[in-house]
Short mmCIF file of all heavy atoms in Angstrom, two decimals:
data_model
loop_
_atom_site.label_atom_id
_atom_site.label_comp_id
_atom_site.label_asym_id
_atom_site.label_seq_id
_atom_site.Cartn_x
_atom_site.Cartn_y
_atom_site.Cartn_z
N ARG F 58 -1.80 -19.36 -3.83
CA ARG F 58 -1.33 -20.15 -2.89
C ARG F 58 -2.05 -21.52 -2.84
O ARG F 58 -3.21 -21.47 -2.86
CB ARG F 58 -1.33 -19.40 -1.47
CG ARG F 58 -0.87 -20.27 -0.43
CD ARG F 58 -1.22 -19.63 0.95
NE ARG F 58 -2.68 -19.83 1.31
CZ ARG F 58 -3.20 -19.51 2.37
NH1 ARG F 58 -2.44 -18.92 3.34
NH2 ARG F 58 -4.42 -19.89 2.79
N THR F 59 -1.29 -22.56 -2.68
CA THR F 59 -1.86 -23.96 -2.62
C THR F 59 -1.08 -24.65 -1.50
O THR F 59 0.03 -24.27 -1.13
CB THR F 59 -1.74 -24.77 -3.88
OG1 THR F 59 -0.23 -24.93 -4.12
CG2 THR F 59 -2.36 -24.11 -5.10
N ARG F 60 -1.78 -25.61 -0.89
CA ARG F 60 -1.17 -26.40 0.22
C ARG F 60 -0.36 -27.56 -0.35
O ARG F 60 0.59 -27.98 0.19
CB ARG F 60 -2.25 -26.99 1.14
CG ARG F 60 -3.06 -25.86 1.86
CD ARG F 60 -4.03 -26.41 2.70
NE ARG F 60 -3.28 -26.97 3.79
CZ ARG F 60 -3.79 -27.82 4.85
NH1 ARG F 60 -4.98 -28.29 4.65
NH2 ARG F 60 -3.15 -28.28 5.77
N MET F 61 -0.83 -28.09 -1.55
CA MET F 61 -0.13 -29.20 -2.13
C MET F 61 0.30 -28.88 -3.53
O MET F 61 -0.39 -28.24 -4.41
CB MET F 61 -1.05 -30.41 -2.10
CG MET F 61 -1.63 -30.74 -0.64
SD MET F 61 -0.47 -31.28 0.35
CE MET F 61 -0.80 -33.09 0.40
N VAL F 62 1.45 -29.48 -3.97
CA VAL F 62 1.87 -29.22 -5.38
C VAL F 62 0.86 -29.80 -6.38
O VAL F 62 0.64 -29.18 -7.38
CB VAL F 62 3.30 -29.90 -5.48
CG1 VAL F 62 3.73 -29.73 -6.95
CG2 VAL F 62 4.30 -29.10 -4.62
N ASP F 63 0.24 -30.89 -6.06
CA ASP F 63 -0.73 -31.46 -6.81
C ASP F 63 -1.84 -30.55 -7.25
O ASP F 63 -2.37 -30.68 -8.37
CB ASP F 63 -1.34 -32.71 -6.17
CG ASP F 63 -0.43 -33.74 -5.71
OD1 ASP F 63 0.78 -33.41 -5.66
OD2 ASP F 63 -0.94 -34.83 -5.21
N GLU F 64 -2.15 -29.68 -6.41
CA GLU F 64 -3.24 -28.71 -6.64
C GLU F 64 -2.95 -27.64 -7.89
O GLU F 64 -3.86 -27.15 -8.45
CB GLU F 64 -3.57 -27.84 -5.46
CG GLU F 64 -4.20 -28.77 -4.27
CD GLU F 64 -4.37 -28.08 -3.04
OE1 GLU F 64 -4.09 -26.77 -3.03
OE2 GLU F 64 -4.66 -28.71 -2.09
N THR F 65 -1.59 -27.52 -8.11
CA THR F 65 -1.29 -26.55 -9.08
C THR F 65 -1.72 -26.91 -10.47
O THR F 65 -2.00 -26.06 -11.32
CB THR F 65 0.21 -26.29 -9.15
OG1 THR F 65 0.98 -27.51 -9.47
CG2 THR F 65 0.70 -25.78 -7.79
N VAL F 66 -1.83 -28.22 -10.80
CA VAL F 66 -2.23 -28.63 -12.11
C VAL F 66 -3.67 -28.30 -12.46
O VAL F 66 -3.82 -27.79 -13.57
CB VAL F 66 -2.05 -30.32 -12.16
CG1 VAL F 66 -2.56 -30.68 -13.46
CG2 VAL F 66 -0.66 -30.75 -11.86
N ALA F 67 -4.51 -28.26 -11.50
CA ALA F 67 -5.89 -27.82 -11.81
C ALA F 67 -6.04 -26.26 -12.13
O ALA F 67 -7.04 -25.86 -12.45
CB ALA F 67 -6.75 -28.23 -10.67
N LEU F 68 -4.97 -25.53 -11.71
CA LEU F 68 -4.94 -24.08 -11.86
C LEU F 68 -4.38 -23.58 -13.11
O LEU F 68 -4.48 -22.43 -13.42
CB LEU F 68 -4.17 -23.42 -10.67
CG LEU F 68 -4.70 -23.82 -9.26
CD1 LEU F 68 -3.82 -23.16 -8.21
CD2 LEU F 68 -6.18 -23.36 -9.12
N LEU F 69 -3.81 -24.48 -13.96
CA LEU F 69 -3.15 -24.08 -15.10
C LEU F 69 -4.17 -23.73 -16.21
O LEU F 69 -5.26 -24.18 -16.27
CB LEU F 69 -2.12 -25.02 -15.61
CG LEU F 69 -1.05 -25.27 -14.69
CD1 LEU F 69 -0.13 -26.45 -15.14
CD2 LEU F 69 -0.20 -24.00 -14.56
#
Side-chain angles (χ1 to χ4, degrees):
R58 179 186 77 173
T59 63
R60 293 183 74 199
M61 308 291 254
V62 174
D63 307 10
E64 295 170 7
T65 60
V66 174
L68 302 175
L69 298 176

